[in-house]
Tab-separated table of all heavy atoms in Angstrom:
chain	number	residue	atom	x	y	z
R	165	ASN	N	3.503	9.906	7.068
R	165	ASN	CA	4.202	10.943	6.236
R	165	ASN	C	5.625	10.877	6.375
R	165	ASN	O	6.230	10.103	7.090
R	165	ASN	CB	3.543	12.312	6.531
R	165	ASN	CG	3.695	12.661	8.040
R	165	ASN	OD1	4.597	12.133	8.696
R	165	ASN	ND2	2.782	13.531	8.550
R	166	ASP	N	6.316	11.960	5.903
R	166	ASP	CA	7.777	11.908	5.879
R	166	ASP	C	8.329	11.924	7.359
R	166	ASP	O	9.298	11.263	7.644
R	166	ASP	CB	8.311	13.175	5.065
R	166	ASP	CG	9.779	13.162	4.898
R	166	ASP	OD1	10.270	12.189	4.280
R	166	ASP	OD2	10.510	14.011	5.473
R	167	SER	N	7.750	12.667	8.268
R	167	SER	CA	8.209	12.831	9.547
R	167	SER	C	7.988	11.451	10.354
R	167	SER	O	8.830	11.057	11.021
R	167	SER	CB	7.578	13.925	10.404
R	167	SER	OG	6.209	13.732	10.501
R	168	VAL	N	6.907	10.692	10.015
R	168	VAL	CA	6.768	9.371	10.599
R	168	VAL	C	7.732	8.456	10.051
R	168	VAL	O	8.362	7.688	10.767
R	168	VAL	CB	5.320	8.890	10.364
R	168	VAL	CG1	5.146	7.447	10.846
R	168	VAL	CG2	4.264	9.848	11.010
R	169	MET	N	8.007	8.442	8.769
R	169	MET	CA	8.953	7.579	8.131
R	169	MET	C	10.308	7.866	8.731
R	169	MET	O	11.096	6.889	9.000
R	169	MET	CB	8.993	7.772	6.635
R	169	MET	CG	7.838	7.156	5.956
R	169	MET	SD	7.887	7.143	4.113
R	169	MET	CE	7.091	8.699	3.781
R	170	LYS	N	10.715	9.136	8.847
R	170	LYS	CA	12.004	9.414	9.308
R	170	LYS	C	12.225	8.940	10.800
R	170	LYS	O	13.318	8.486	11.114
R	170	LYS	CB	12.241	10.955	9.254
R	170	LYS	CG	13.689	11.405	9.572
R	170	LYS	CD	13.854	12.910	9.251
R	170	LYS	CE	15.325	13.226	9.304
R	170	LYS	NZ	15.580	14.574	8.920
R	171	ALA	N	11.195	9.066	11.544
R	171	ALA	CA	11.171	8.620	12.928
R	171	ALA	C	11.224	7.019	13.090
R	171	ALA	O	11.825	6.547	13.931
R	171	ALA	CB	10.050	9.130	13.749
R	172	ARG	N	10.523	6.273	12.170
R	172	ARG	CA	10.339	4.912	12.318
R	172	ARG	C	11.216	4.056	11.551
R	172	ARG	O	11.422	2.876	11.806
R	172	ARG	CB	8.936	4.580	12.017
R	172	ARG	CG	7.910	5.155	13.142
R	172	ARG	CD	6.555	4.673	12.810
R	172	ARG	NE	5.684	4.857	14.013
R	172	ARG	CZ	5.415	3.907	14.853
R	172	ARG	NH1	5.890	2.706	14.713
R	172	ARG	NH2	4.659	4.259	15.861
R	173	LEU	N	11.808	4.568	10.447
R	173	LEU	CA	12.622	3.840	9.577
R	173	LEU	C	14.084	3.859	10.002
R	173	LEU	O	14.563	4.951	10.431
R	173	LEU	CB	12.542	4.263	8.140
R	173	LEU	CG	11.190	4.060	7.409
R	173	LEU	CD1	11.265	4.647	6.073
R	173	LEU	CD2	10.784	2.591	7.413
R	174	PRO	N	14.788	2.798	9.834
R	174	PRO	CA	16.329	2.938	10.037
R	174	PRO	C	16.813	3.992	9.130
R	174	PRO	O	16.363	4.193	8.055
R	174	PRO	CB	16.852	1.537	9.709
R	174	PRO	CG	15.685	0.603	9.899
R	174	PRO	CD	14.437	1.461	9.469
R	175	LYS	N	17.893	4.656	9.516
R	175	LYS	CA	18.456	5.788	8.800
R	175	LYS	C	18.813	5.428	7.397
R	175	LYS	O	18.455	6.190	6.502
R	175	LYS	CB	19.740	6.303	9.572
R	175	LYS	CG	20.278	7.568	9.086
R	175	LYS	CD	21.416	8.000	9.915
R	175	LYS	CE	21.770	9.538	9.761
R	175	LYS	NZ	22.785	9.905	10.656
R	176	GLU	N	19.420	4.328	7.152
R	176	GLU	CA	19.796	3.849	5.795
R	176	GLU	C	18.609	3.560	4.918
R	176	GLU	O	18.590	3.922	3.746
R	176	GLU	CB	20.798	2.700	5.815
R	176	GLU	CG	22.165	3.072	6.386
R	176	GLU	CD	22.785	4.221	5.429
R	176	GLU	OE1	22.767	4.138	4.266
R	176	GLU	OE2	23.256	5.176	6.080
R	177	THR	N	17.547	2.989	5.566
R	177	THR	CA	16.349	2.640	4.756
R	177	THR	C	15.617	3.933	4.490
R	177	THR	O	15.180	4.096	3.275
R	177	THR	CB	15.402	1.729	5.624
R	177	THR	OG1	16.136	0.573	6.004
R	177	THR	CG2	14.142	1.446	4.825
R	178	TYR	N	15.574	4.896	5.272
R	178	TYR	CA	14.917	6.162	5.005
R	178	TYR	C	15.625	6.919	3.900
R	178	TYR	O	15.041	7.352	2.953
R	178	TYR	CB	14.940	7.102	6.328
R	178	TYR	CG	14.381	8.471	6.045
R	178	TYR	CD1	12.918	8.678	5.927
R	178	TYR	CD2	15.175	9.539	5.896
R	178	TYR	CE1	12.521	9.950	5.679
R	178	TYR	CE2	14.714	10.860	5.701
R	178	TYR	CZ	13.355	11.019	5.590
R	178	TYR	OH	12.856	12.267	5.342
R	179	LYS	N	17.000	6.879	3.995
R	179	LYS	CA	17.769	7.534	2.970
R	179	LYS	C	17.559	6.826	1.620
R	179	LYS	O	17.381	7.475	0.606
R	179	LYS	CB	19.232	7.400	3.384
R	179	LYS	CG	20.197	8.206	2.452
R	179	LYS	CD	21.704	8.130	3.029
R	179	LYS	CE	22.637	8.773	2.001
R	179	LYS	NZ	23.960	8.647	2.472
R	180	ALA	N	17.557	5.535	1.576
R	180	ALA	CA	17.320	4.774	0.354
R	180	ALA	C	16.009	5.017	-0.292
R	180	ALA	O	15.814	5.203	-1.459
R	180	ALA	CB	17.504	3.204	0.577
R	181	LEU	N	14.950	5.109	0.545
R	181	LEU	CA	13.559	5.451	0.193
R	181	LEU	C	13.583	6.831	-0.441
R	181	LEU	O	13.053	7.062	-1.563
R	181	LEU	CB	12.510	5.283	1.271
R	181	LEU	CG	11.178	5.702	0.950
R	181	LEU	CD1	10.592	4.757	-0.164
R	181	LEU	CD2	10.295	5.581	2.254
R	182	LYS	N	14.108	7.782	0.190
R	182	LYS	CA	14.078	9.209	-0.301
R	182	LYS	C	14.895	9.265	-1.649
R	182	LYS	O	14.500	9.994	-2.532
R	182	LYS	CB	14.772	10.185	0.784
R	182	LYS	CG	13.996	10.344	1.994
R	182	LYS	CD	12.570	10.770	1.813
R	182	LYS	CE	12.616	12.309	1.676
R	182	LYS	NZ	11.272	12.857	1.502
R	183	ASN	N	16.013	8.510	-1.806
R	183	ASN	CA	16.788	8.481	-3.019
R	183	ASN	C	15.960	7.856	-4.094
R	183	ASN	O	16.009	8.339	-5.293
R	183	ASN	CB	18.109	7.778	-2.818
R	183	ASN	CG	19.155	8.531	-1.995
R	183	ASN	OD1	18.977	9.752	-1.898
R	183	ASN	ND2	20.104	7.871	-1.486
R	184	THR	N	15.223	6.824	-3.852
R	184	THR	CA	14.405	6.164	-4.792
R	184	THR	C	13.281	7.132	-5.288
R	184	THR	O	13.001	7.286	-6.486
R	184	THR	CB	13.689	4.905	-4.248
R	184	THR	OG1	14.732	4.063	-3.855
R	184	THR	CG2	12.720	4.313	-5.148
R	185	ILE	N	12.744	7.861	-4.397
R	185	ILE	CA	11.709	8.830	-4.765
R	185	ILE	C	12.277	9.915	-5.587
R	185	ILE	O	11.698	10.247	-6.686
R	185	ILE	CB	10.929	9.457	-3.453
R	185	ILE	CG1	10.157	8.340	-2.753
R	185	ILE	CG2	10.144	10.665	-3.825
R	185	ILE	CD1	9.645	8.719	-1.401
R	186	ALA	N	13.371	10.525	-5.163
R	186	ALA	CA	14.018	11.594	-5.881
R	186	ALA	C	14.383	11.175	-7.306
R	186	ALA	O	14.324	11.960	-8.294
R	186	ALA	CB	15.238	12.090	-5.162
R	187	ALA	N	14.954	9.903	-7.480
R	187	ALA	CA	15.435	9.509	-8.812
R	187	ALA	C	14.237	8.871	-9.682
R	187	ALA	O	14.442	8.665	-10.827
R	187	ALA	CB	16.502	8.436	-8.652
R	188	GLY	N	13.088	8.647	-9.009
R	188	GLY	CA	11.997	7.996	-9.743
R	188	GLY	C	12.289	6.651	-10.193
R	188	GLY	O	11.727	6.185	-11.164
R	189	LYS	N	13.022	5.964	-9.326
R	189	LYS	CA	13.344	4.584	-9.652
R	189	LYS	C	12.541	3.487	-8.956
R	189	LYS	O	11.765	3.792	-8.082
R	189	LYS	CB	14.879	4.329	-9.264
R	189	LYS	CG	15.883	5.110	-10.169
R	189	LYS	CD	17.244	4.746	-9.861
R	189	LYS	CE	18.188	5.493	-10.723
R	189	LYS	NZ	19.606	5.253	-10.520
R	190	HIS	N	12.669	2.280	-9.381
R	190	HIS	CA	11.956	1.128	-8.753
R	190	HIS	C	12.480	0.928	-7.357
R	190	HIS	O	13.640	0.991	-7.081
R	190	HIS	CB	12.289	-0.127	-9.618
R	190	HIS	CG	11.697	-1.350	-9.122
R	190	HIS	ND1	10.285	-1.611	-9.186
R	190	HIS	CD2	12.217	-2.424	-8.426
R	190	HIS	CE1	10.062	-2.771	-8.650
R	190	HIS	NE2	11.201	-3.261	-8.189
R	191	LEU	N	11.552	0.672	-6.482
R	191	LEU	CA	11.921	0.454	-5.064
R	191	LEU	C	12.460	-0.877	-4.866
R	191	LEU	O	11.849	-1.909	-5.222
R	191	LEU	CB	10.738	0.620	-4.222
R	191	LEU	CG	10.849	0.604	-2.624
R	191	LEU	CD1	11.831	1.747	-2.213
R	191	LEU	CD2	9.558	0.771	-1.982
R	192	ASP	N	13.719	-0.949	-4.234
R	192	ASP	CA	14.330	-2.293	-4.008
R	192	ASP	C	13.491	-3.002	-2.890
R	192	ASP	O	12.918	-2.387	-2.013
R	192	ASP	CB	15.658	-1.924	-3.331
R	192	ASP	CG	16.436	-3.127	-2.954
R	192	ASP	OD1	16.866	-3.883	-3.890
R	192	ASP	OD2	16.550	-3.496	-1.720
R	193	LEU	N	13.293	-4.350	-3.130
R	193	LEU	CA	12.434	-5.164	-2.275
R	193	LEU	C	12.881	-5.104	-0.900
R	193	LEU	O	12.153	-5.170	0.095
R	193	LEU	CB	12.404	-6.575	-2.860
R	193	LEU	CG	11.331	-7.461	-2.106
R	193	LEU	CD1	9.906	-6.885	-2.063
R	193	LEU	CD2	11.291	-8.909	-2.737
R	194	GLU	N	14.160	-5.134	-0.633
R	194	GLU	CA	14.752	-5.121	0.697
R	194	GLU	C	14.325	-3.890	1.462
R	194	GLU	O	13.903	-3.906	2.596
R	194	GLU	CB	16.336	-5.201	0.722
R	194	GLU	CG	16.934	-5.381	2.103
R	194	GLU	CD	18.416	-5.508	1.960
R	194	GLU	OE1	18.864	-6.305	1.128
R	194	GLU	OE2	19.104	-4.902	2.784
R	195	VAL	N	14.339	-2.697	0.748
R	195	VAL	CA	13.871	-1.465	1.364
R	195	VAL	C	12.404	-1.520	1.619
R	195	VAL	O	11.858	-1.139	2.594
R	195	VAL	CB	14.255	-0.293	0.449
R	195	VAL	CG1	13.585	0.991	1.019
R	195	VAL	CG2	15.810	-0.164	0.361
Side-chain angles (χ1 to χ4, degrees):
N165 59 26
D166 190 65
S167 62
V168 173
M169 286 188 270
K170 191 172 189 175
R172 290 185 167 262
L173 295 174
K175 193 176 197 177
E176 288 304 312
T177 302
Y178 175 77
K179 185 178 175 182
L181 178 61
K182 295 300 281 184
N183 288 339
T184 298
I185 292 168
K189 293 186 177 179
H190 178 75
L191 184 62
D192 178 73
L193 187 57
E194 187 176 314
V195 173

